[in-house]
Amino acid sequence: MGGKKAFSAKLDDVFAQPPHFDNSYYGQTIHEIREMQIMNMGNYAHGNQPIQHMIYLYSYANEPWKAQYWVRQVMNKLYMATPDSYCGDEDNGQTSAWYVFSALGFYPVCSEGDQYVLGTPLFKKATINLENGNKVVIKAPNNSAENIYVKSMFYNGKNYTKNYLDYNSLIKGAVINVTMDSKPNKTRGVTTADLPYSFSTAK
């Protein structure tokens, strides 16, 4: 891609491009394409499951606030409790699973790995009751429709700047305190040590 800035710009371009499409492969306009047009989020077609991890890739490119912005946009625009306000089909529950994970504030971008990439929590408080009896409690008391950005995060009382959560740590139980803001914090989560695992940088 030419580095993190070029990679982030390519992600931006998905949302900036008009929702044009070529239906020659299918011979007709399939519902995922039509839903993409209707939602008017550029070429981002959330109803087509293979793209649903894309927004979280901003956290690999030193711009996690963009992931926070677009995750909340998708949750607000593409999921509503009305008969015609569900963004496509399920494909084994993936579209609902995306929402559940994203509402908690993280997502398994690489599902066979042990990291959950951070986004933005939707609730002021959520508790996950683990099978081993432990709990993961996520608190974001000043969360609101305006405060969609993560200003700071504390994991079990310690300042936490990483853009991911580790499974092996979470299963021991955790209290995660998140301070939200209406403006992005462009200094949090931008060091090499804060980035999620990437095969391209593995040693």
Side-chain angles (χ1 to χ4, degrees):
M1 289 287 181
K4 290 183 175 63
K5 287 185 178 180
F7 178 49
S8 183
K10 182 61 71 174
L11 297 176
D12 292 342
D13 198 46
V14 172
F15 297 104
Q17 288 288 332
H20 297 317
F21 61 90
D22 175 5
N23 62 8
S24 60
Y25 180 83
Y26 298 100
Q28 61 180 331
T29 302
I30 61 173
H31 72 88
E32 288 94 343
I33 292 174
R34 185 64 69 214
E35 290 152 3
M36 177 190 74
Q37 284 186 302
I38 293 170
M39 294 319 301
N40 197 28
M41 295 178 74
N43 265 190
Y44 182 77
H46 189 78
N48 195 21
Q49 285 76 14
I51 203 171
Q52 289 182 358
H53 71 292
M54 188 211 89
I55 292 174
Y56 288 91
L57 298 183
Y58 280 115
S59 291
Y60 293 76
N62 289 353
E63 294 188 328
W65 60 90
K66 289 184 178 179
Q68 295 158 23
Y69 173 83
W70 285 113
V71 164
R72 187 63 68 90
Q73 292 299 307
V74 171
M75 285 194 285
N76 287 343
K77 293 180 178 179
L78 277 64
Y79 293 86
M80 288 176 279
T82 57
D84 60 349
S85 297
Y86 193 79
C87 52
D89 53 23
E90 272 287 46
D91 282 10
N92 297 315
Q94 164 60 25
T95 303
S96 292
W98 184 95
Y99 187 89
V100 172
F101 272 113
S102 295
L104 291 170
F106 53 87
Y107 184 77
V109 170
C110 185
S111 57
E112 70 276 14
D114 60 357
Q115 293 180 352
Y116 299 96
V117 179
L118 290 173
T120 177
L122 182 62
F123 303 110
K124 294 180 183 293
K125 182 179 179 181
T127 300
I128 305 169
N129 296 297
L130 303 176
E131 288 183 331
N132 61 10
N134 294 329
K135 297 179 184 292
V136 176
V137 182
I138 303 157
K139 301 177 181 180
N142 66 328
N143 204 341
S144 69
E146 294 77 28
N147 293 339
I148 65 172
Y149 297 104
V150 175
K151 182 177 181 180
S152 63
M153 180 179 293
F154 284 80
Y155 189 101
N156 287 340
K158 296 181 179 180
N159 187 40
Y160 193 82
T161 62
K162 298 184 185 301
N163 288 326
Y164 63 89
L165 300 173
D166 178 75
Y167 169 81
N168 293 306
S169 178
L170 285 174
I171 61 172
K172 298 175 183 177
V175 176
I176 302 170
N177 289 287
V178 187
T179 300
M180 307 293 290
D181 201 348
S182 60
K183 298 178 181 179
N185 181 355
K186 296 184 179 181
T187 63
R188 185 194 173 278
V190 296
T191 70
T192 300
D194 293 327
L195 304 184
Y197 170 81
S198 174
F199 182 73
S200 62
T201 57
K203 296 180 180 178

mmCIF file of all heavy atoms in Angstrom, residues 28-64:
data_model
loop_
_atom_site.group_PDB
_atom_site.id
_atom_site.type_symbol
_atom_site.label_atom_id
_atom_site.label_comp_id
_atom_site.label_asym_id
_atom_site.label_seq_id
_atom_site.Cartn_x
_atom_site.Cartn_y
_atom_site.Cartn_z
ATOM 1 N N GLN A 28 -27.405 -9.031 -12.632
ATOM 2 C CA GLN A 28 -28.499 -8.259 -12.051
ATOM 3 C C GLN A 28 -27.971 -7.511 -10.834
ATOM 4 O O GLN A 28 -26.874 -7.794 -10.360
ATOM 5 C CB GLN A 28 -29.652 -9.180 -11.635
ATOM 6 C CG GLN A 28 -29.240 -10.211 -10.581
ATOM 7 C CD GLN A 28 -30.377 -11.114 -10.173
ATOM 8 O OE1 GLN A 28 -31.527 -10.712 -10.226
ATOM 9 N NE2 GLN A 28 -30.060 -12.332 -9.776
ATOM 10 N N THR A 29 -28.744 -6.576 -10.354
ATOM 11 C CA THR A 29 -28.349 -5.824 -9.159
ATOM 12 C C THR A 29 -28.781 -6.611 -7.932
ATOM 13 O O THR A 29 -29.965 -6.691 -7.625
ATOM 14 C CB THR A 29 -28.989 -4.425 -9.151
ATOM 15 O OG1 THR A 29 -28.585 -3.734 -10.335
ATOM 16 C CG2 THR A 29 -28.538 -3.637 -7.936
ATOM 17 N N ILE A 30 -27.806 -7.209 -7.236
ATOM 18 C CA ILE A 30 -28.124 -8.012 -6.052
ATOM 19 C C ILE A 30 -28.403 -7.099 -4.862
ATOM 20 O O ILE A 30 -28.080 -5.912 -4.875
ATOM 21 C CB ILE A 30 -26.985 -9.003 -5.731
ATOM 22 C CG1 ILE A 30 -25.678 -8.259 -5.445
ATOM 23 C CG2 ILE A 30 -26.810 -9.997 -6.881
ATOM 24 C CD1 ILE A 30 -24.555 -9.170 -4.959
ATOM 25 N N HIS A 31 -28.991 -7.669 -3.824
ATOM 26 C CA HIS A 31 -29.467 -6.829 -2.719
ATOM 27 C C HIS A 31 -28.325 -6.125 -1.999
ATOM 28 O O HIS A 31 -28.476 -4.995 -1.520
ATOM 29 C CB HIS A 31 -30.314 -7.653 -1.737
ATOM 30 C CG HIS A 31 -29.540 -8.618 -0.889
ATOM 31 N ND1 HIS A 31 -28.979 -8.266 0.319
ATOM 32 C CD2 HIS A 31 -29.241 -9.922 -1.074
ATOM 33 C CE1 HIS A 31 -28.377 -9.317 0.843
ATOM 34 N NE2 HIS A 31 -28.518 -10.334 0.023
ATOM 35 N N GLU A 32 -27.133 -6.746 -1.899
ATOM 36 C CA GLU A 32 -26.015 -6.074 -1.229
ATOM 37 C C GLU A 32 -25.643 -4.778 -1.948
ATOM 38 O O GLU A 32 -25.307 -3.779 -1.307
ATOM 39 C CB GLU A 32 -24.790 -6.995 -1.160
ATOM 40 C CG GLU A 32 -24.920 -8.137 -0.172
ATOM 41 C CD GLU A 32 -25.418 -9.413 -0.826
ATOM 42 O OE1 GLU A 32 -25.964 -9.337 -1.948
ATOM 43 O OE2 GLU A 32 -25.274 -10.487 -0.219
ATOM 44 N N ILE A 33 -25.706 -4.804 -3.284
ATOM 45 C CA ILE A 33 -25.389 -3.605 -4.054
ATOM 46 C C ILE A 33 -26.460 -2.539 -3.850
ATOM 47 O O ILE A 33 -26.165 -1.360 -3.645
ATOM 48 C CB ILE A 33 -25.242 -3.953 -5.547
ATOM 49 C CG1 ILE A 33 -23.997 -4.826 -5.770
ATOM 50 C CG2 ILE A 33 -25.167 -2.689 -6.389
ATOM 51 C CD1 ILE A 33 -23.844 -5.342 -7.194
ATOM 52 N N ARG A 34 -27.713 -2.952 -3.907
ATOM 53 C CA ARG A 34 -28.804 -1.985 -3.729
ATOM 54 C C ARG A 34 -28.747 -1.368 -2.332
ATOM 55 O O ARG A 34 -28.959 -0.150 -2.171
ATOM 56 C CB ARG A 34 -30.156 -2.672 -3.951
ATOM 57 C CG ARG A 34 -31.325 -1.710 -3.906
ATOM 58 C CD ARG A 34 -31.268 -0.689 -5.050
ATOM 59 N NE ARG A 34 -31.502 -1.328 -6.333
ATOM 60 C CZ ARG A 34 -30.927 -0.952 -7.472
ATOM 61 N NH1 ARG A 34 -30.074 0.063 -7.472
ATOM 62 N NH2 ARG A 34 -31.183 -1.567 -8.605
ATOM 63 N N GLU A 35 -28.472 -2.164 -1.329
ATOM 64 C CA GLU A 35 -28.382 -1.641 0.042
ATOM 65 C C GLU A 35 -27.236 -0.654 0.167
ATOM 66 O O GLU A 35 -27.337 0.357 0.880
ATOM 67 C CB GLU A 35 -28.222 -2.796 1.034
ATOM 68 C CG GLU A 35 -29.483 -3.634 1.176
ATOM 69 C CD GLU A 35 -29.205 -5.081 1.563
ATOM 70 O OE1 GLU A 35 -28.027 -5.424 1.782
ATOM 71 O OE2 GLU A 35 -30.162 -5.867 1.624
ATOM 72 N N MET A 36 -26.122 -0.929 -0.514
ATOM 73 C CA MET A 36 -24.985 -0.009 -0.506
ATOM 74 C C MET A 36 -25.399 1.338 -1.073
ATOM 75 O O MET A 36 -25.068 2.394 -0.517
ATOM 76 C CB MET A 36 -23.827 -0.594 -1.319
ATOM 77 C CG MET A 36 -22.617 0.320 -1.438
ATOM 78 S SD MET A 36 -21.399 -0.288 -2.628
ATOM 79 C CE MET A 36 -22.230 0.086 -4.190
ATOM 80 N N GLN A 37 -26.135 1.320 -2.165
ATOM 81 C CA GLN A 37 -26.594 2.569 -2.778
ATOM 82 C C GLN A 37 -27.512 3.348 -1.838
ATOM 83 O O GLN A 37 -27.371 4.553 -1.661
ATOM 84 C CB GLN A 37 -27.339 2.269 -4.067
ATOM 85 C CG GLN A 37 -26.460 1.894 -5.251
ATOM 86 C CD GLN A 37 -27.300 1.769 -6.507
ATOM 87 O OE1 GLN A 37 -28.240 0.989 -6.568
ATOM 88 N NE2 GLN A 37 -26.965 2.571 -7.508
ATOM 89 N N ILE A 38 -28.439 2.645 -1.249
ATOM 90 C CA ILE A 38 -29.437 3.295 -0.397
ATOM 91 C C ILE A 38 -28.775 3.935 0.816
ATOM 92 O O ILE A 38 -29.122 5.055 1.215
ATOM 93 C CB ILE A 38 -30.514 2.284 0.042
ATOM 94 C CG1 ILE A 38 -31.343 1.839 -1.166
ATOM 95 C CG2 ILE A 38 -31.423 2.890 1.117
ATOM 96 C CD1 ILE A 38 -32.252 0.674 -0.886
ATOM 97 N N MET A 39 -27.797 3.249 1.425
ATOM 98 C CA MET A 39 -27.173 3.767 2.641
ATOM 99 C C MET A 39 -26.233 4.919 2.339
ATOM 100 O O MET A 39 -25.917 5.716 3.216
ATOM 101 C CB MET A 39 -26.442 2.659 3.381
ATOM 102 C CG MET A 39 -27.345 1.584 3.942
ATOM 103 S SD MET A 39 -28.879 2.209 4.702
ATOM 104 C CE MET A 39 -28.248 3.283 5.968
ATOM 105 N N ASN A 40 -25.762 5.027 1.086
ATOM 106 C CA ASN A 40 -24.978 6.184 0.651
ATOM 107 C C ASN A 40 -23.750 6.426 1.534
ATOM 108 O O ASN A 40 -23.495 7.540 1.999
ATOM 109 C CB ASN A 40 -25.849 7.438 0.596
ATOM 110 C CG ASN A 40 -25.208 8.539 -0.227
ATOM 111 O OD1 ASN A 40 -24.428 8.264 -1.142
ATOM 112 N ND2 ASN A 40 -25.530 9.779 0.083
ATOM 113 N N MET A 41 -22.991 5.360 1.758
ATOM 114 C CA MET A 41 -21.714 5.473 2.470
ATOM 115 C C MET A 41 -20.578 5.141 1.509
ATOM 116 O O MET A 41 -19.656 4.393 1.832
ATOM 117 C CB MET A 41 -21.695 4.552 3.689
ATOM 118 C CG MET A 41 -22.719 4.929 4.746
ATOM 119 S SD MET A 41 -22.758 3.810 6.157
ATOM 120 C CE MET A 41 -21.246 4.298 6.981
ATOM 121 N N GLY A 42 -20.677 5.697 0.313
ATOM 122 C CA GLY A 42 -19.652 5.446 -0.690
ATOM 123 C C GLY A 42 -19.736 4.026 -1.216
ATOM 124 O O GLY A 42 -20.815 3.524 -1.519
ATOM 125 N N ASN A 43 -18.585 3.374 -1.312
ATOM 126 C CA ASN A 43 -18.515 1.983 -1.762
ATOM 127 C C ASN A 43 -18.486 0.996 -0.605
ATOM 128 O O ASN A 43 -18.167 -0.180 -0.791
ATOM 129 C CB ASN A 43 -17.283 1.768 -2.633
ATOM 130 C CG ASN A 43 -17.577 1.903 -4.118
ATOM 131 O OD1 ASN A 43 -16.755 1.590 -4.950
ATOM 132 N ND2 ASN A 43 -18.768 2.365 -4.461
ATOM 133 N N TYR A 44 -18.777 1.461 0.599
ATOM 134 C CA TYR A 44 -18.805 0.575 1.754
ATOM 135 C C TYR A 44 -20.140 -0.163 1.787
ATOM 136 O O TYR A 44 -21.193 0.441 2.009
ATOM 137 C CB TYR A 44 -18.605 1.345 3.058
ATOM 138 C CG TYR A 44 -18.591 0.441 4.268
ATOM 139 C CD1 TYR A 44 -17.461 -0.316 4.568
ATOM 140 C CD2 TYR A 44 -19.703 0.319 5.088
ATOM 141 C CE1 TYR A 44 -17.455 -1.159 5.664
ATOM 142 C CE2 TYR A 44 -19.702 -0.523 6.184
ATOM 143 C CZ TYR A 44 -18.572 -1.263 6.463
ATOM 144 O OH TYR A 44 -18.559 -2.120 7.545
ATOM 145 N N ALA A 45 -20.092 -1.475 1.550
ATOM 146 C CA ALA A 45 -21.306 -2.295 1.493
ATOM 147 C C ALA A 45 -21.347 -3.218 2.704
ATOM 148 O O ALA A 45 -20.944 -4.378 2.646
ATOM 149 C CB ALA A 45 -21.335 -3.101 0.195
ATOM 150 N N HIS A 46 -21.815 -2.700 3.823
ATOM 151 C CA HIS A 46 -21.800 -3.458 5.081
ATOM 152 C C HIS A 46 -22.614 -4.738 4.991
ATOM 153 O O HIS A 46 -22.323 -5.710 5.684
ATOM 154 C CB HIS A 46 -22.336 -2.583 6.218
ATOM 155 C CG HIS A 46 -22.174 -3.176 7.568
ATOM 156 N ND1 HIS A 46 -20.967 -3.172 8.244
ATOM 157 C CD2 HIS A 46 -23.060 -3.803 8.387
ATOM 158 C CE1 HIS A 46 -21.117 -3.774 9.419
ATOM 159 N NE2 HIS A 46 -22.384 -4.158 9.532
ATOM 160 N N GLY A 47 -23.631 -4.750 4.134
ATOM 161 C CA GLY A 47 -24.453 -5.947 3.994
ATOM 162 C C GLY A 47 -23.738 -7.097 3.324
ATOM 163 O O GLY A 47 -24.258 -8.210 3.275
ATOM 164 N N ASN A 48 -22.540 -6.868 2.807
ATOM 165 C CA ASN A 48 -21.710 -7.919 2.219
ATOM 166 C C ASN A 48 -20.595 -8.237 3.214
ATOM 167 O O ASN A 48 -19.626 -7.498 3.343
ATOM 168 C CB ASN A 48 -21.137 -7.465 0.873
ATOM 169 C CG ASN A 48 -20.578 -8.611 0.079
ATOM 170 O OD1 ASN A 48 -20.935 -9.770 0.302
ATOM 171 N ND2 ASN A 48 -19.700 -8.311 -0.848
ATOM 172 N N GLN A 49 -20.740 -9.338 3.930
ATOM 173 C CA GLN A 49 -19.955 -9.622 5.128
ATOM 174 C C GLN A 49 -18.426 -9.523 4.979
ATOM 175 O O GLN A 49 -17.756 -9.120 5.933
ATOM 176 C CB GLN A 49 -20.329 -11.007 5.682
ATOM 177 C CG GLN A 49 -21.663 -11.054 6.395
ATOM 178 C CD GLN A 49 -22.838 -11.053 5.444
ATOM 179 O OE1 GLN A 49 -22.686 -11.281 4.248
ATOM 180 N NE2 GLN A 49 -24.038 -10.800 5.950
ATOM 181 N N PRO A 50 -17.826 -9.864 3.838
ATOM 182 C CA PRO A 50 -16.361 -9.806 3.770
ATOM 183 C C PRO A 50 -15.752 -8.429 4.022
ATOM 184 O O PRO A 50 -14.551 -8.331 4.283
ATOM 185 C CB PRO A 50 -16.058 -10.283 2.343
ATOM 186 C CG PRO A 50 -17.199 -11.179 2.001
ATOM 187 C CD PRO A 50 -18.390 -10.534 2.640
ATOM 188 N N ILE A 51 -16.551 -7.366 3.980
ATOM 189 C CA ILE A 51 -15.988 -6.037 4.232
ATOM 190 C C ILE A 51 -16.167 -5.584 5.675
ATOM 191 O O ILE A 51 -15.646 -4.547 6.077
ATOM 192 C CB ILE A 51 -16.613 -4.982 3.284
ATOM 193 C CG1 ILE A 51 -15.668 -3.770 3.141
ATOM 194 C CG2 ILE A 51 -17.998 -4.552 3.766
ATOM 195 C CD1 ILE A 51 -16.084 -2.783 2.082
ATOM 196 N N GLN A 52 -16.853 -6.346 6.488
ATOM 197 C CA GLN A 52 -17.251 -5.841 7.796
ATOM 198 C C GLN A 52 -16.085 -5.606 8.759
ATOM 199 O O GLN A 52 -16.230 -4.873 9.738
ATOM 200 C CB GLN A 52 -18.297 -6.775 8.422
ATOM 201 C CG GLN A 52 -19.631 -6.686 7.715
ATOM 202 C CD GLN A 52 -20.703 -7.562 8.328
ATOM 203 O OE1 GLN A 52 -20.463 -8.298 9.284
ATOM 204 N NE2 GLN A 52 -21.902 -7.501 7.771
ATOM 205 N N HIS A 53 -14.929 -6.178 8.483
ATOM 206 C CA HIS A 53 -13.770 -5.915 9.336
ATOM 207 C C HIS A 53 -13.026 -4.643 8.924
ATOM 208 O O HIS A 53 -12.176 -4.152 9.662
ATOM 209 C CB HIS A 53 -12.787 -7.092 9.265
ATOM 210 C CG HIS A 53 -12.074 -7.186 7.954
ATOM 211 N ND1 HIS A 53 -12.720 -7.510 6.777
ATOM 212 C CD2 HIS A 53 -10.783 -6.959 7.615
ATOM 213 C CE1 HIS A 53 -11.851 -7.492 5.779
ATOM 214 N NE2 HIS A 53 -10.669 -7.158 6.260
ATOM 215 N N MET A 54 -13.347 -4.105 7.737
ATOM 216 C CA MET A 54 -12.525 -3.063 7.118
ATOM 217 C C MET A 54 -12.348 -1.828 7.986
ATOM 218 O O MET A 54 -11.255 -1.280 8.101
ATOM 219 C CB MET A 54 -13.122 -2.657 5.772
ATOM 220 C CG MET A 54 -12.230 -1.729 4.961
ATOM 221 S SD MET A 54 -13.141 -0.587 3.899
ATOM 222 C CE MET A 54 -13.382 0.797 5.002
ATOM 223 N N ILE A 55 -13.416 -1.367 8.609
ATOM 224 C CA ILE A 55 -13.344 -0.133 9.394
ATOM 225 C C ILE A 55 -12.283 -0.239 10.478
ATOM 226 O O ILE A 55 -11.562 0.722 10.767
ATOM 227 C CB ILE A 55 -14.721 0.189 9.999
ATOM 228 C CG1 ILE A 55 -15.704 0.574 8.893
ATOM 229 C CG2 ILE A 55 -14.619 1.302 11.033
ATOM 230 C CD1 ILE A 55 -17.126 0.760 9.364
ATOM 231 N N TYR A 56 -12.153 -1.408 11.071
ATOM 232 C CA TYR A 56 -11.195 -1.587 12.172
ATOM 233 C C TYR A 56 -9.744 -1.548 11.699
ATOM 234 O O TYR A 56 -8.830 -1.445 12.522
ATOM 235 C CB TYR A 56 -11.490 -2.901 12.902
ATOM 236 C CG TYR A 56 -12.746 -2.828 13.734
ATOM 237 C CD1 TYR A 56 -13.981 -3.178 13.203
ATOM 238 C CD2 TYR A 56 -12.703 -2.387 15.049
ATOM 239 C CE1 TYR A 56 -15.141 -3.093 13.957
ATOM 240 C CE2 TYR A 56 -13.858 -2.299 15.817
ATOM 241 C CZ TYR A 56 -15.076 -2.658 15.264
ATOM 242 O OH TYR A 56 -16.220 -2.561 16.022
ATOM 243 N N LEU A 57 -9.524 -1.604 10.405
ATOM 244 C CA LEU A 57 -8.157 -1.553 9.895
ATOM 245 C C LEU A 57 -7.522 -0.178 10.094
ATOM 246 O O LEU A 57 -6.293 -0.052 10.057
ATOM 247 C CB LEU A 57 -8.122 -1.952 8.419
ATOM 248 C CG LEU A 57 -8.579 -3.378 8.104
ATOM 249 C CD1 LEU A 57 -8.435 -3.665 6.614
ATOM 250 C CD2 LEU A 57 -7.814 -4.402 8.928
ATOM 251 N N TYR A 58 -8.316 0.843 10.342
ATOM 252 C CA TYR A 58 -7.745 2.147 10.686
ATOM 253 C C TYR A 58 -6.854 2.052 11.930
ATOM 254 O O TYR A 58 -5.903 2.822 12.083
ATOM 255 C CB TYR A 58 -8.852 3.166 10.946
ATOM 256 C CG TYR A 58 -9.477 3.772 9.717
ATOM 257 C CD1 TYR A 58 -10.816 3.532 9.408
ATOM 258 C CD2 TYR A 58 -8.749 4.609 8.881
ATOM 259 C CE1 TYR A 58 -11.415 4.112 8.296
ATOM 260 C CE2 TYR A 58 -9.334 5.194 7.758
ATOM 261 C CZ TYR A 58 -10.667 4.940 7.472
ATOM 262 O OH TYR A 58 -11.257 5.521 6.368
ATOM 263 N N SER A 59 -7.191 1.126 12.818
ATOM 264 C CA SER A 59 -6.402 0.976 14.046
ATOM 265 C C SER A 59 -5.024 0.375 13.779
ATOM 266 O O SER A 59 -4.156 0.413 14.648
ATOM 267 C CB SER A 59 -7.168 0.111 15.061
ATOM 268 O OG SER A 59 -8.304 0.810 15.528
ATOM 269 N N TYR A 60 -4.821 -0.181 12.590
ATOM 270 C CA TYR A 60 -3.503 -0.674 12.199
ATOM 271 C C TYR A 60 -2.689 0.436 11.524
ATOM 272 O O TYR A 60 -1.507 0.260 11.264
ATOM 273 C CB TYR A 60 -3.641 -1.829 11.202
ATOM 274 C CG TYR A 60 -4.251 -3.087 11.758
ATOM 275 C CD1 TYR A 60 -5.625 -3.175 11.990
ATOM 276 C CD2 TYR A 60 -3.476 -4.208 12.020
ATOM 277 C CE1 TYR A 60 -6.191 -4.340 12.476
ATOM 278 C CE2 TYR A 60 -4.033 -5.378 12.507
ATOM 279 C CZ TYR A 60 -5.395 -5.432 12.740
ATOM 280 O OH TYR A 60 -5.960 -6.586 13.226
ATOM 281 N N ALA A 61 -3.337 1.543 11.205
ATOM 282 C CA ALA A 61 -2.725 2.599 10.391
ATOM 283 C C ALA A 61 -2.541 3.903 11.163
ATOM 284 O O ALA A 61 -2.479 4.971 10.566
ATOM 285 C CB ALA A 61 -3.568 2.844 9.146
ATOM 286 N N ASN A 62 -2.489 3.802 12.504
ATOM 287 C CA ASN A 62 -2.245 4.963 13.360
ATOM 288 C C ASN A 62 -3.354 6.011 13.317
ATOM 289 O O ASN A 62 -3.129 7.168 13.654
ATOM 290 C CB ASN A 62 -0.905 5.640 13.025
ATOM 291 C CG ASN A 62 0.288 4.813 13.450
ATOM 292 O OD1 ASN A 62 0.141 3.789 14.105
ATOM 293 N ND2 ASN A 62 1.468 5.249 13.074
ATOM 294 N N GLU A 63 -4.564 5.607 12.915
ATOM 295 C CA GLU A 63 -5.698 6.523 12.920
ATOM 296 C C GLU A 63 -6.932 5.847 13.526
ATOM 297 O O GLU A 63 -7.983 5.741 12.886
ATOM 298 C CB GLU A 63 -5.987 7.034 11.509
ATOM 299 C CG GLU A 63 -4.856 7.903 10.956
ATOM 300 C CD GLU A 63 -5.206 8.568 9.640
ATOM 301 O OE1 GLU A 63 -5.967 7.970 8.845
ATOM 302 O OE2 GLU A 63 -4.720 9.679 9.405
ATOM 303 N N PRO A 64 -6.819 5.409 14.787
ATOM 304 C CA PRO A 64 -7.939 4.678 15.385
ATOM 305 C C PRO A 64 -9.203 5.498 15.533
ATOM 306 O O PRO A 64 -10.302 4.942 15.598
ATOM 307 C CB PRO A 64 -7.388 4.256 16.762
ATOM 308 C CG PRO A 64 -6.287 5.235 17.046
ATOM 309 C CD PRO A 64 -5.685 5.544 15.716
#
